[in-house]
Amino acid sequence: MWMHHPGPGAATSAVRQKAEIKMTQIARTMKYQREADPEWSARIRQLPGCERVSSCIQCGTCSGTCPLSIYMDYTPRRVISLIREGFKDDVLASKTIWLCASCYSCTVECPQQIHITDVMYSMKREAIQEKKYPSRFPIPVLAREFYAIVRSRGRNSEIPVVLRMALKSNPFILLTMMKSGWDLFRTGRISLKFEKIRKIRQLQKALDATKEVA
Amino acid sequence: MSANGFLYFPGCSLRATGAAYEESLLELFRVLAIPLTELDDWNCCGATSYMAVDEGSAFLLSSRNLSIAAEMGGHEIMAPCAACYLVLRKTLDYVEHYPEIRAKVEAGLRAAELKAFTGVKVRHPLEILYNEVGVKALKQKTTRKWKGGKIACYYGCQAVRPYDEVDRPHNPMRMDELMNAAGAPTIDYALKTKCCGGSLTGTIHEVGVNLNEILLREAVRKGAGCIVTICPLCQFNLDTYQGEMRARGVAIDIPVLYFTQVLAWALGGDIGKIGLKRSISGRAAIEKWFSSEEAPAYA
Amino acid sequence: MPDQNGSVRIGVYVCHCGSNIAGIVDCKAVADYAAGLAHVAVARDYKYMCSEPGQELLAKDIQEHKLNRIVVASCSPHLHEHTFREAVLKGGLNPFFMHMVNIREHDSWVHLNHDPATGKAKNLVSGAVRRVARQRALEKGSVDIHPDVLVVGGGIAGIHAALTLANAGKKVYLVERQPTIGGHMAQFDKTFPTLDCAACILTPKMSQVKAHKNITLWTYSDVQKVDGYVGNYSVKVRKRTRYIREDLCSGCQQCIEECVYKQPKFYDEFNQGLGKRKPVYLPFPQAIPQTPVIDPETCIMFKSGKCKKTCVEACERGAIDFELKDEEVDIKVGTIIVATGFKAFDAARVPYYGYGHYPNVYTSLEIERLVNASGPTSGHVVMRDGKEPKSVGIIHCVGSRDENTNRWCSRVCCMYSLKLAHLLKEHTGAEVFNFYIDMRTPGKGFEEFYQRLLKEGVHFIRGRVAEVTDWAYDPSEEGKLVLRVEDTLLGMVRRIPVDMVVLSVGLEPHKDAQEVRRLFNITCANEGWFLERHPKLAPVNTFTDGIFLAGACQGPKDIPDTVAQAGAAAAEALALIDAGCIEQEPNTAYVIEEHCSGCKTCVPLCPFGAISFKSEVNKAEVNAALCKGCGTCVAACPSGSLQQHLFEDDEIFEEIEGVLAYV
């Protein structure tokens, strides 16, 4: 029962792939202090859940335990360091913050008790606010569609959410879902009801009021 | 546990992909005679998506539910879905500890003319069964003998992290103990709390499916014949894509069940009411294991 | 109180302390103000009162101006109270007619604005001037120092301290809880960075302890009660019985050989459970004393009362006696050195490393026993499943540098992890991986040791291991323990399968540190280590006079630092003993017997047990030698019959009046 085993020499990581440089394409990477935004860094460290970012000793436990870290462009540890150093654009443009599945493994094991999952959520929100996420990337699109549907009905309805998410990011996703969609339908696990709560106005009023508070 | 039982917060999943969870949960609690009262006009908890868009809104969604619970006079609200459980539990914690979040939530509740929700506790069926009913009592109540394969108990993430009231985050054993009490053997499963990817199977499909393939393969490698879960999204992920894996040449077709299905069956519940027909994978095994023969009372 | 001539003549000295005080406070103005106060004959401001000329100025003024009270407004008395008392004494005045006012820590160092700060300084001086007029002449008490010393704990710290003191001719009681001395060092195989054999360098010292005529060695004993004060401690020691008479036993170990248990069956503490022992046992071959112990928890004779007692038969000296009882001894000593050592962190508290779950996960202390030639496997590195490891992962910082367990760095683990890497590679030829967060190798020869390991081809991966599991991703991982870690230097997440995992556990205070510290009336810091008087300048003293600390009980440290501290503690003890007596601050409470009604309110209040009740005359009595001048009893006494020297009621009221008068 084995997973696909990459043989020796296989370029399995982004770093390795970058190393296979074509002669016509030699990249230059230098980070200048003018790219750093210390005010942004200071503001982030005041947000609820982000207070202990300053204490990070860069041990890498978070990346080591994160099930998604092998798919990320920057591992969680590096994102924390980028935040501390104020490299906002790198953080908000990364796929890392979206690939975080909120499993909280990092938060539980971090020896400095940094709420890394909350840091990731904060970065998601910052990215949406500044509209800085990778375009047509399904995950932020899903988040926004989910948000919109719950706001309008009070409950989640999978079919509209998934349809809109796919259409606004990558319609081919729907092809991958056809078999599973059929399986779910025939076992009665897809709700065609499009439920709405009775007091939807009440909910909407409440949601708007929270936005008023600074 | 009070004589009134618990307030019940199903969450959106239990009415859709997690239908089997609700069915078996209700049947199990009926057999155990623990009353459940559904939370009136509950709204979606927001899961991970709301927190990704706006913090205040996310906490407000849960606060409305907690407020309704307080309004209904209940102190304990049971949320079987791990994501719902976590969001509600986190709301209690963060509203208490962060004044800025409390301010937003209070503003929202005031605008909706809802009252504050002091004293409400959030529970999960796994720890309710473990703490309130107990392993010993469950063992005594079993009437059917488990005929199935070894179980890989899969706890997932959000029920056991970061709050440890449902079970401890590393090597939790409560579900294992409940399964053993019901007469089912379990395996030592190192991946019992490794993330299934959550909604990633719907967005970055290969990554999500990969994470689930790892879980399935390791369970089988360790001798398990099925996986038992406590979270509807985990169950969905592990159950739905085995066909796709088979198409790639992976020999895998095992049942993925809810712990409430196993317990409801073991305690003599109505086999037709525990959602067994909702499973997509492992159908052959399910047919074989869950017959209606009454075995002699489990000693 | 006025002097014999009836007039009080006060000298007030306002110190600039360079710019420390003068930067914020206008010292000349304060001196001018003081000059105008009642009974002030001389008022000066001066740049550095604590300097030689400053002190001489005091002595000179006292004589020239016939001063009989002195106020020095300067820094905290913690620093120069002694200096100025001596200076005043040189001028011919009783030192307790001098009062210091703190216008630095209490004024110039905590305020930013000149005018209010100067006003406050004047205010404080006003209070001091009125107070000092009331001060009385006092004499320092003196307490004799008993020359004997008690050393608690027989590890390398206790051993070294005991030998140093014994060689100086002092009588030392060395009390050790375990059946043998040697402590943790006896469990180690080799020591870093020289790879000296621990037993080879330790056992000669252990033998010296046994042979030394000035050392009374009590093992398998513990301290039950400590009463008294510096120079005069009464200690009760419980000597637990081995059920074997030490004076008769020759150390032949026939009793162990002939025990009814043919094979050892019980958990062997010294070998960390890796080996087994019989109910009658010697912890390790070079144990001192060479007298075995019979453990009543596991010996059949105690558990059921029926045993063939083959041990008794085997003993040619007739040393075994099941009727023996624990003994209590009372001793008198002048000083005590606490050298109780540390406890290794319980690796089960970090569950994601699998200790206790997977059999081939070990702690560093277990490995020390495994590689040791006198260990349970005679130095053959074989795992619990019987196999020899071909690959080993050593995880640094287990339990340390972690908010979830212990916050501190345990200081020795990086070095001992390097050492274990070397030893394991030497014994097995295995591929060794060390996983670290930072490499801490600060001592003499330590960095060079790290270089040696690098040259030996040990893998060094900078990353804290996130999990140890048996989850196999592919056939090469089957049957192994897989470590998942971010190699932060390479910038990649890695899976490394190994046969054996070694957890480098940190050091912690003993579980009963709080009880032990109460026994000796010393304090623990908030992390649980015994508290030193000053982390930089008094690392072996405690806040209790006459009680000293040595070794890891004060904080994690390696053997060289432990030995150095043990020597330092011995020197502190010797300083007291050879001085013969110690002066005591006369700030003690006393009872005015005519007013004492015998209500006994004060007796239980004293934290130092200094107050006793004389029932024959129905009066309370304060033992000045035990009294620390905390003032609790004085404040509590309903009739005001308890007063305190240096803090008499009238002195305090005058000070209050003086402060309010300025306002």
Side-chain angles (χ1 to χ4, degrees):
Chain A
M1 293 277 39
W2 304 118
M3 297 297 292
H4 164 66
H5 179 52
T12 51
S13 69
V15 172
R16 199 66 193 276
Q17 280 160 358
K18 243 210 199 132
E20 282 161 2
I21 304 166
K22 299 199 181 76
M23 278 315 292
T24 51
Q25 269 182 344
I26 298 185
R28 177 180 184 280
T29 319
M30 168 66 88
K31 213 89 184 108
Y32 294 94
Q33 274 309 98
R34 59 177 143 79
E35 296 171 50
D37 186 344
E39 276 171 23
W40 173 82
S41 176
R43 178 171 66 77
I44 297 302
R45 288 188 248 179
Q46 306 278 28
L47 297 175
C50 301
E51 309 88 352
R52 290 188 59 81
V53 163
S54 303
S55 299
C56 176
I57 55 175
Q58 289 286 295
C59 68
T61 306
C62 49
S63 313
T65 192
C66 174
L68 278 318
S69 63
I70 52 181
Y71 300 103
M72 292 172 174
D73 37 8
Y74 293 113
T75 54
R77 172 191 62 91
R78 293 177 73 187
V79 168
I80 301 285
S81 196
L82 285 168
I83 292 174
R84 275 213 293 218
E85 293 302 298
F87 293 118
K88 167 171 138 182
D89 294 335
D90 295 280
V91 177
L92 297 185
S94 71
K95 308 242 183 19
T96 302
I97 63 183
W98 298 106
L99 284 170
C100 169
S102 313
C103 80
Y104 290 90
S105 297
C106 51
T107 302
V108 159
E109 289 196 17
C110 175
Q112 290 301 317
Q113 290 180 340
I114 302 170
H115 292 198
I116 300 163
T117 315
D118 286 341
V119 174
M120 292 298 167
Y121 273 130
S122 299
M123 293 301 100
K124 285 179 165 108
R125 295 193 289 262
E126 291 276 314
I128 286 186
Q129 278 217 6
E130 306 221 357
K131 298 198 175 44
K132 272 210 161 72
Y133 45 88
S135 69
R136 299 189 77 84
F137 196 49
I139 304 171
V141 173
L142 171 66
R144 299 187 66 181
E145 292 311 316
F146 189 109
Y147 182 90
I149 267 236
V150 172
R151 196 203 140 76
S152 79
R153 316 187 81 83
R155 297 219 180 140
N156 179 27
S157 296
E158 283 162 8
I159 297 182
V161 168
V162 168
L163 271 175
R164 280 153 113 150
M165 180 265 300
L167 290 172
K168 292 189 186 179
S169 61
N170 174 17
F172 290 102
I173 286 180
L174 292 173
L175 291 172
T176 64
M177 292 186 178
M178 287 190 19
K179 166 99 178 29
S180 49
W182 166 245
D183 284 331
L184 288 171
F185 184 72
R186 66 173 171 82
T187 51
R189 286 163 74 173
I190 292 204
S191 163
L192 290 170
K193 273 206 237 152
F194 297 10
E195 303 192 0
K196 197 167 182 171
I197 61 174
R198 290 189 331 261
K199 300 201 185 122
I200 185 61
R201 293 257 172 272
Q202 182 197 57
L203 177 63
Q204 286 166 349
K205 239 205 256 173
L207 285 169
D208 290 336
T210 60
K211 290 250 171 73
E212 302 292 309
V213 181
Chain B
M1 146 165 89
S2 78
N4 297 329
F6 300 93
L7 284 173
Y8 169 48
F9 179 82
C12 309
S13 303
L14 261 67
R15 292 285 151 88
T17 51
Y21 198 178
E22 179 166 60
E23 286 162 349
S24 53
L25 177 78
L26 292 176
E27 177 63 5
L28 175 63
F29 275 58
R30 179 192 70 77
V31 168
L32 289 169
I34 302 176
L36 292 175
T37 314
E38 183 169 328
L39 201 66
D40 178 50
D41 202 36
W42 53 269
N43 56 263
C44 175
C45 73
T48 52
S49 294
Y50 252 76
M51 200 63 80
V53 179
D54 181 60
E55 193 178 42
S57 309
F59 286 117
L60 191 277
L61 286 180
S62 291
S63 300
R64 179 172 175 274
N65 289 318
L66 291 165
S67 196
I68 295 173
E71 196 66 54
M72 288 175 77
H75 296 295
E76 300 192 305
I77 171 173
M78 173 179 84
C81 167
C84 301
Y85 170 82
L86 173 62
V87 164
L88 286 166
R89 182 64 188 81
K90 192 171 175 178
T91 302
L92 285 178
D93 187 10
Y94 279 48
V95 165
E96 189 186 324
H97 289 111
Y98 291 107
E100 54 266 78
I101 293 175
R102 187 165 52 247
K104 290 191 179 162
V105 160
E106 280 175 352
L109 291 178
R110 252 200 315 274
E113 283 156 40
L114 289 160
K115 67 180 190 193
F117 48 81
T118 38
V120 179
K121 289 225 274 280
V122 181
R123 312 282 308 257
H124 187 279
L126 177 64
E127 56 88 8
I128 287 175
L129 288 165
Y130 189 84
N131 290 323
E132 312 288 350
V133 180
V135 168
K136 240 203 271 180
L138 267 167
K139 194 164 176 181
Q140 283 163 355
K141 289 188 208 276
T142 51
T143 57
R144 290 187 178 120
K145 202 163 149 97
W146 178 254
K147 288 191 297 250
K150 292 198 203 159
I151 291 180
C153 287
Y154 179 66
Y155 296 72
C157 305
Q158 301 196 334
V160 296
R161 293 188 295 270
Y163 300 103
D164 62 359
E165 288 143 15
V166 177
D167 206 341
R168 61 187 189 210
H170 291 107
N171 196 24
M173 287 297 285
R174 287 181 173 181
M175 197 193 339
D176 293 70
E177 286 184 51
L178 292 177
M179 294 297 104
N180 292 332
T186 50
I187 59 158
D188 176 36
Y189 190 40
L191 302 181
K192 58 174 38 166
T193 56
K194 204 125 208 50
C195 187
C196 70
S199 52
L200 277 171
T201 45
T203 51
I204 317 286
H205 187 69
E206 293 85 48
V207 172
V209 172
N210 227 39
L211 290 175
N212 286 284
E213 190 176 329
I214 289 172
L215 296 170
L216 289 161
R217 283 181 186 264
E218 179 68 5
V220 170
R221 187 185 79 92
K222 281 303 209 64
C226 69
I227 296 187
V228 175
T229 68
I230 59 175
C231 166
L233 193 46
C234 299
Q235 194 280 338
F236 164 78
N237 277 335
L238 289 165
D239 192 24
T240 311
Y241 301 106
Q242 292 187 35
E244 194 181 306
M245 296 174 203
R246 282 195 296 276
R248 272 192 284 111
V250 183
I252 185 101
D253 187 21
I254 61 169
V256 181
L257 302 166
Y258 291 103
F259 77 111
T260 41
Q261 292 178 295
V262 176
L263 288 175
W265 179 83
L267 264 58
D270 184 338
I271 293 187
K273 293 215 174 117
I274 56 177
L276 288 172
K277 291 213 182 337
R278 311 259 187 212
S279 278
I280 295 173
S281 301
R283 294 226 53 90
I286 292 176
E287 296 287 311
K288 230 174 44 181
W289 298 353
F290 294 92
S291 72
S292 52
E293 284 163 39
E294 297 282 331
Y298 195 76
Chain C
M1 295 266 132
D3 70 349
Q4 303 99 305
N5 295 347
S7 66
V8 167
R9 295 176 57 77
I10 304 176
V12 178
Y13 299 84
V14 184
C15 183
H16 291 220
C17 192
S19 64
N20 277 310
I21 297 177
I24 299 283
V25 171
D26 184 348
C27 298
K28 181 149 191 339
V30 176
D32 288 344
Y33 165 77
L37 295 173
H39 300 295
V40 173
V42 168
R44 300 189 198 282
D45 62 295
Y46 192 76
K47 214 152 173 96
Y48 292 104
M49 278 307 296
C50 56
S51 64
E52 287 263 336
Q55 293 175 52
E56 280 165 14
L57 175 63
L58 274 178
K60 205 156 75 72
D61 273 2
I62 290 171
Q63 307 211 318
E64 270 183 32
H65 297 272
K66 310 227 183 320
L67 301 176
N68 50 32
R69 300 285 186 280
I70 302 287
V71 170
V72 179
S74 60
C75 53
S76 165
H78 264 159
L79 299 151
H80 282 301
E81 184 175 62
H82 180 81
T83 314
F84 295 131
R85 281 192 184 157
E86 289 296 299
V88 159
L89 183 60
K90 266 211 199 95
L93 198 58
N94 183 291
F96 295 93
F97 283 141
M98 188 285 298
H99 184 71
M100 266 182 86
V101 176
N102 187 343
I103 57 171
R104 191 180 75 172
E105 281 84 340
H106 285 191
D107 194 5
S108 68
W109 272 4
V110 295
H111 297 301
L112 296 170
N113 297 319
H114 290 224
D115 286 342
T118 305
K120 180 169 174 177
K122 290 182 189 172
N123 206 337
L124 291 169
V125 166
S126 167
V129 162
R130 293 210 28 182
R131 185 201 211 281
V132 80
R134 293 285 181 164
Q135 278 174 221
R136 294 106 160 119
L138 292 170
E139 296 300 325
K140 279 198 164 179
S142 153
V143 164
D144 283 337
I145 306 288
H146 193 291
D148 295 354
V149 186
L150 168 65
V151 176
V152 184
I156 182 61
I159 288 172
H160 184 78
L163 284 172
T164 309
L165 287 161
N167 287 339
K170 311 300 173 203
K171 180 168 154 80
V172 181
Y173 296 95
L174 180 53
V175 174
E176 163 59 49
R177 209 198 300 220
Q178 297 297 328
T180 172
I181 52 175
H184 278 108
M185 189 173 168
Q187 292 177 299
F188 301 158
D189 182 34
K190 307 274 193 295
T191 55
F192 59 76
T194 50
L195 297 174
D196 266 306
C197 154
C200 307
I201 56 178
L202 178 63
T203 46
K205 283 177 100 93
M206 285 167 60
S207 305
Q208 277 177 49
V209 164
K210 188 82 176 72
H212 211 297
K213 62 175 168 51
N214 287 338
I215 300 181
T216 304
L217 176 62
W218 287 332
T219 56
Y220 212 40
S221 307
D222 48 18
V223 172
Q224 295 282 292
K225 199 165 192 303
V226 177
D227 280 319
Y229 48 95
V230 57
N232 300 273
Y233 288 109
S234 304
V235 181
K236 193 183 286 285
V237 177
R238 174 182 64 153
K239 296 168 68 184
R240 290 169 59 193
T241 178
R242 298 162 129 85
Y243 303 100
I244 300 178
R245 287 184 49 184
E246 267 182 67
D247 52 341
L248 291 178
C249 174
S250 68
C252 69
Q253 298 182 47
Q254 282 301 111
C255 48
I256 302 176
E257 199 45 55
E258 298 298 321
C259 174
V260 290
Y261 279 97
K262 284 290 146 227
Q263 293 301 326
K265 244 189 76 171
F266 301 101
Y267 182 89
D268 180 349
E269 301 89 350
F270 188 80
N271 281 317
Q272 299 289 294
L274 290 177
K276 300 215 188 294
R277 62 162 174 83
K278 301 185 183 181
V280 55
Y281 68 102
L282 200 59
F284 62 99
Q286 306 98 321
I288 298 273
Q290 275 277 295
T291 314
V293 187
I294 297 181
D295 169 24
E297 304 275 312
T298 47
C299 171
I300 296 185
M301 188 55 208
F302 290 97
K303 296 202 8 187
S304 70
K306 288 197 280 260
C307 178
K308 279 196 277 187
K309 296 195 257 184
T310 42
C311 54
V312 176
E313 268 181 59
C315 180
E316 290 178 359
R317 302 279 189 94
I320 302 183
D321 182 356
F322 292 105
E323 300 302 310
L324 287 174
K325 299 262 175 283
D326 293 346
E327 213 188 307
E328 270 187 4
V329 203
D330 288 304
I331 55 172
K332 285 218 173 336
V333 293
T335 47
I336 301 177
I337 297 180
V338 177
T340 49
F342 68 91
K343 163 186 173 298
F345 174 79
D346 176 10
R349 288 172 60 193
V350 183
Y352 44 94
Y353 287 154
Y355 182 71
H357 191 78
Y358 300 111
N360 293 340
V361 176
Y362 290 82
T363 63
S364 44
L365 207 45
E366 289 170 349
I367 298 294
E368 294 278 353
R369 297 314 303 152
L370 214 51
V371 297
N372 197 311
S374 66
T377 57
S378 307
H380 187 208
V381 179
V382 66
M383 301 186 289
R384 288 187 181 102
D385 65 0
K387 302 210 191 80
E388 271 186 44
K390 299 227 172 7
S391 49
V392 182
I394 301 179
I395 303 179
H396 292 215
C397 303
V398 176
S400 308
R401 301 187 69 187
D402 189 342
E403 291 280 329
N404 300 308
T405 50
N406 293 330
R407 226 173 246 174
W408 59 83
C409 163
S410 292
R411 198 173 170 122
V412 300
C413 325
C414 274
M415 282 307 295
Y416 83 55
S417 300
L418 291 175
K419 172 192 77 173
L420 291 179
H422 168 85
L423 292 172
L424 285 167
K425 209 169 166 63
E426 192 181 58
H427 281 241
T428 63
E431 197 176 7
V432 179
F433 297 85
N434 279 53
F435 300 92
Y436 66 97
I437 309 175
D438 292 289
M439 196 52 89
R440 297 191 163 172
T441 54
K444 201 162 173 180
F446 288 12
E447 183 66 20
E448 294 86 333
F449 191 63
Y450 179 31
Q451 273 299 322
R452 174 180 181 165
L453 266 296
L454 282 165
K455 292 194 181 76
E456 285 178 8
V458 169
H459 297 263
F460 284 98
I461 298 181
R462 189 199 174 277
R464 184 172 178 274
V465 172
E467 68 192 29
V468 174
T469 62
D470 66 350
W471 160 33
Y473 189 85
D474 62 47
S476 71
E477 295 185 357
E478 260 242 295
K480 302 232 189 251
L481 289 169
V482 178
L483 281 62
R484 193 174 194 268
V485 62
E486 183 188 19
D487 182 336
T488 62
L489 296 176
L490 275 184
M492 294 189 228
V493 177
R494 295 172 68 169
R495 293 176 61 87
I496 301 181
V498 295
D499 293 322
M500 174 193 242
V501 174
V502 179
L503 303 176
S504 297
V505 290
L507 277 53
E508 289 189 321
H510 277 293
K511 275 207 184 78
D512 63 350
Q514 283 292 342
E515 279 95 71
V516 170
R517 71 117 187 129
R518 264 184 223 118
L519 204 55
F520 294 98
N521 202 22
I522 56 177
T523 32
C524 284
N526 76 334
E527 319 238 89
W529 304 103
F530 294 140
L531 187 61
E532 65 288 318
R533 187 178 278 238
H534 191 281
K536 291 257 187 257
L537 297 178
V540 300
N541 303 69
T542 62
F543 284 101
T544 306
D545 292 330
I547 303 193
F548 307 99
L549 302 171
C553 63
Q554 182 258 346
K557 55 179 66 72
D558 58 13
I559 295 168
D561 287 347
T562 298
V563 171
Q565 255 201 0
E572 295 282 339
L574 276 169
L576 273 183
I577 299 170
D578 286 355
C581 64
I582 188 179
E583 279 188 335
Q584 287 211 309
E585 180 77 354
N587 63 349
T588 51
Y590 62 95
V591 179
I592 303 175
E593 291 216 338
E594 308 86 74
H595 299 163
C596 175
S597 68
C599 72
K600 295 196 213 161
T601 303
C602 55
V603 180
L605 285 175
C606 179
F608 304 96
I611 309 184
S612 55
F613 191 70
K614 296 190 289 190
S615 23
E616 329 82 67
V617 291
N618 214 38
K619 305 284 178 197
E621 182 179 38
V622 177
N623 177 343
L626 276 173
C627 175
K628 287 273 177 204
C630 72
T632 307
C633 58
V634 179
C637 176
S639 61
S641 48
L642 265 168
Q643 293 292 322
Q644 184 166 352
H645 295 301
L646 271 190
F647 291 92
E648 306 277 352
D649 284 353
D650 60 348
E651 289 168 359
I652 296 177
F653 284 131
E654 281 296 320
E655 186 159 13
I656 296 173
E657 293 285 340
V659 166
L660 292 174
Y662 175 84
V663 172

